[in-house]
């Protein structure tokens, strides 16, 4: 175990490097609410928040429930001159299902439904034992790494803004009514935004390590728990 | 984690003969190849990553050309009596302006023309000047630019979503129907490839050329 504030310049123990500019910092366990920033480029290094893990788990479950609603309820409805059409979220993805555009269906479904769901599940899997101060589940490390790698590709919020723009585009042509799925999706965006506020990757890596995935005896255990 | 000050000389992991993990921040001896804590590959901040940056950027650019030449949307109104139209990205913007939708036209123009071209220029410039000596101010400016490119890149996908929503929704049989065109796929691929290009760029290279005042500091 590493004592706090001690470091070794030959092995790198007790040090943190900024991912953006490589500047070295001496590692310290932060109090909840504190934010550590890089001295050179001001990138946030860690920002633990009180009760963050429990909140992320709760928000992940909320986003799963909302996603079920978003997928199965009608999304948008349009009518003009007696002709009408309604579409669900699957209908939107299936718009590309003709011929050469087929792969785009899979990609769109993945970006707006698949990856947000997968990320929520991975976060719950990683954080559930950590929130109760237990040992993390097996493969929590690759699970959280995958969740972080998928972050830029989960594009639910971009899809909602896209919906708004598409609606403005057709508003003059026909009557549109918004289905429950649209509102579920809007809720999903708020839930995801809140979840992102509480997520600090460094803090979660630290917690995985502290909670018993002993790597090489270099983890700093806070004095209250040691 | 000490008091930030712009003028303090900084010791980097690379100068100290160490290598920092880009995903969890843990520091390892330079000989290590994988981070023991988060399992990601440890890469020293050198110009090797620029090969991947240029390759993805070239792929993104290649697909951006057909994305502009082929139609994005195929519209037919009143069973083709009022005409079938095929709109490219630029054509769609012109059409929106024609109908007086200046706000939406501006957003589509920004998302599908200004942002992609700006991204190509910004990433090329970052990759060209990477590792060259810079002042601290210039380095901060480059990092700012990189963060903007990284943040805004995924938002270009909005155009693909708009096409999907319009073609799923506007299926009014005889009155009006909209179908997606081949440009949608190449545009989506172009956006994905430029996102990968931006992700391959190692922002630590921005700081490599900075003059160093002393080897040990802020301890």
């Amino acid at each position: 175990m590493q004592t706090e504030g001690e470091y070794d310049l030959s092995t790198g123990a007790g040090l943190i490097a900024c991912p953006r500019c490589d500047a070295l910092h001496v590692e310290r366990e932060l109090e909840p609410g504190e934010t550590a920033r890089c001295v050179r480029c001001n990138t946030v290094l860690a920002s633990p928040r009180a009760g963050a893990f429990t909140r992320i788990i709760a928000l992940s479950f909320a986003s799963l429930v909302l996603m079920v609603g978003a997928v199965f309820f009608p999304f948008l409805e349009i009518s003009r001159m007696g002709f009408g059409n309604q579409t669900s979220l699957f209908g939107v993805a299936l718009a590309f299902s003709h011929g050469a555009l087929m792969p785009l269906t899979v990609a769109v479904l993945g970006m707006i439904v698949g990856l947000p769901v997968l990320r929520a599940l991975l976060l719950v899997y990683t954080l559930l034992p950590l929130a109760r101060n237990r040992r993390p589940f097996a493969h929590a490390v690759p699970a959280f790494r995958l969740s972080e790698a998928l972050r830029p590709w989960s594009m639910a919020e971009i899809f909602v803004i896209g919906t708004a723009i598409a609606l403005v585009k057709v508003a003059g042509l026909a009557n549109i009514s918004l289905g429950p799925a649209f509102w579920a999706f809007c809720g999903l965006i708020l839930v995801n935004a809140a979840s992102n506020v509480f997520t600090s990757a460094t803090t979660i890596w630290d917690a995985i390590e502290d909670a018993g995935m002993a790597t090489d005896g270099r983890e700093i255990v806070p004095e209250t728990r040691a | 984690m000490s008091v930030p000050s712009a003028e303090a000389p900084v010791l980097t992991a690379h100068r100290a003969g160490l290598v920092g993990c880009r995903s969890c921040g843990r520091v390892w001896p330079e000989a290590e190849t994988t981070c023991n804590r988060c399992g990601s590959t440890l890469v020293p901040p050198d110009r090797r990553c620029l090969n991947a940056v240029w390759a993805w950027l070239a792929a993104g650019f290649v697909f951006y050309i057909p994305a502009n030449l082929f139609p994005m949307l195929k519209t037919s109104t009143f069973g083709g009596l009022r005409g079938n139209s095929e709109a490219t990205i630029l054509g769609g913007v012109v059409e929106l302006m024609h109908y007086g939708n200046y706000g939406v036209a501006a957003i589509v123009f920004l998302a599908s023309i200004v942002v992609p071209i700006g991204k190509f220029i910004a990433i090329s410039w970052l990759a060209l000047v990477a590792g060259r000596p810079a002042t601290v101010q210039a380095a901060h400016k480059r990092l700012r630019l990189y963060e903007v490119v990284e943040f805004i890149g995924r938002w270009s996908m909005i155009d693909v979503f708009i096409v999907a929503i319009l073609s799923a929704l506007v299926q009014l049989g005889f009155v009006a129907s909209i179908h997606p065109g081949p440009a949608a796929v190449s545009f989506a691929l172009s956006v994905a490839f430029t996102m990968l290009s931006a992700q391959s760029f190692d922002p630590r290279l921005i700081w490599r050329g900075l003059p160093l005042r002393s080897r040990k500091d802020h301890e």
Side-chain angles (χ1 to χ4, degrees):
Chain A
M1 201 195 304
Q2 184 79 24
T3 1
E4 194 165 337
E6 252 178 41
Y7 59 92
D8 186 345
L9 263 181
S10 57
T11 63
L15 292 168
I16 284 282
C18 170
R20 291 278 153 119
C21 75
D22 212 25
L24 281 178
H25 303 79
V26 178
E27 192 178 357
R28 184 164 70 79
E29 291 285 322
L30 297 175
E31 295 297 320
E34 272 188 294
T35 300
R37 286 175 180 278
C38 172
V39 289
R40 177 152 73 169
C41 68
N42 218 23
T43 303
V44 174
L45 296 175
S47 59
R49 295 282 173 266
F53 294 173
T54 323
R55 283 177 209 196
I56 297 172
I57 293 170
L59 290 167
S60 297
F61 273 119
S63 80
L64 287 174
V65 172
L66 285 170
M67 189 57 97
V68 171
V71 167
F72 292 105
F73 282 116
F75 186 52
L76 298 167
E77 208 174 320
I78 187 175
S79 65
R80 180 172 186 210
M81 300 169 88
F83 291 88
N85 182 39
Q86 71 163 33
T87 180
S88 67
L89 215 54
F90 278 115
V92 171
L94 288 175
F96 292 121
S97 60
H98 308 285
L101 299 176
M102 186 62 200
L104 205 49
T105 302
V106 183
V108 167
L109 260 188
M111 287 187 288
I112 60 181
V113 180
L115 295 185
V117 168
L118 181 62
R119 282 202 64 221
L121 291 175
L122 288 171
L123 277 177
V124 169
Y125 182 83
T126 313
L127 295 179
L128 205 55
L130 296 181
R132 298 188 299 168
N133 284 327
R134 304 259 175 86
R135 277 181 70 89
F137 293 130
H139 308 299
V141 169
F144 185 60
R145 201 167 71 236
L146 181 64
S147 159
E148 283 299 291
L150 294 178
R151 182 191 285 273
W153 302 99
S154 119
M155 299 191 179
E157 74 274 23
I158 299 172
F159 180 74
V160 169
I161 305 291
T163 312
I165 294 175
L167 291 184
V168 174
K169 236 174 156 175
V170 285
L173 297 170
N175 297 322
I176 300 155
S177 52
L178 306 169
F182 178 78
W183 299 113
F185 228 92
C186 289
L188 196 71
I189 303 319
L190 296 178
V191 168
N192 282 348
S195 172
N196 280 340
V197 169
F198 290 111
T199 312
S200 153
T202 329
T203 314
I204 295 177
W205 285 124
D206 230 32
I208 292 176
E209 194 180 39
D210 287 348
M213 282 246 156
T215 50
D216 54 354
R218 280 165 64 164
E219 68 277 7
I220 299 175
V221 175
E223 276 163 40
T224 44
R225 247 187 285 159
Chain B
M1 303 190 192
S2 47
V3 188
S5 99
E7 289 308 305
V10 167
L11 177 69
T12 63
H14 183 73
R15 287 271 178 175
L18 301 163
V19 59
C21 172
R22 274 189 68 196
S23 78
C24 76
R26 182 62 97 219
V27 182
W28 303 97
E30 223 163 17
E32 297 284 328
T33 51
T34 40
C35 174
N36 232 330
R37 170 154 78 166
C38 68
S40 44
T41 315
L42 295 173
V43 189
D46 58 21
R47 299 174 68 95
R48 256 180 295 171
C49 75
L50 294 180
N51 293 335
V53 173
W54 287 116
W56 287 122
L57 195 67
F61 190 71
V62 164
F63 279 98
Y64 188 64
I65 296 168
N68 277 287
L69 296 179
F70 287 108
M72 198 83 168
L73 282 177
K74 297 174 184 170
T75 319
S76 68
T77 31
F78 293 99
L81 294 174
R82 285 251 198 110
N84 293 315
S85 74
E86 295 196 333
T88 56
I89 292 176
L90 200 60
V93 174
V94 172
E95 201 177 311
L96 280 169
M97 281 170 59
H98 183 75
Y99 288 124
N101 278 332
Y102 292 105
V104 184
I107 293 178
V108 175
F109 183 71
L110 263 180
S112 40
I113 295 176
V114 176
V115 169
I117 293 181
K119 250 179 353 182
F120 290 130
I121 296 172
I123 298 178
S124 314
W125 182 71
L126 281 173
L128 279 175
V129 299
R132 300 241 193 100
T135 59
V136 176
Q137 284 83 2
H140 276 106
K141 218 176 278 170
R142 289 183 202 168
L143 184 70
R144 191 91 205 104
L145 179 68
Y146 173 72
E147 277 170 352
V148 169
V149 167
E150 202 187 30
F151 171 80
I152 222 161
R154 35 206 298 278
W155 282 89
S156 291
M157 210 55 108
I158 201 167
D159 229 38
V160 178
F161 294 144
I162 293 176
V163 170
I165 293 161
L166 286 179
S167 11
L169 193 60
V170 185
Q171 293 296 341
L172 297 174
F174 181 73
V175 180
S177 67
I178 294 180
H179 293 283
V185 176
S186 44
F187 190 78
L189 283 174
S190 170
V191 173
F193 288 150
T194 20
M195 277 174 73
L196 286 169
S197 173
Q199 284 175 18
S200 314
F201 184 77
D202 187 343
R204 295 176 303 180
L205 276 178
I206 294 171
W207 309 87
R208 276 298 300 281
L210 288 188
L212 209 77
R213 281 176 210 123
S214 80
R215 289 201 147 224
K216 291 197 179 182
D217 49 78
H218 82 273
E219 284 163 7

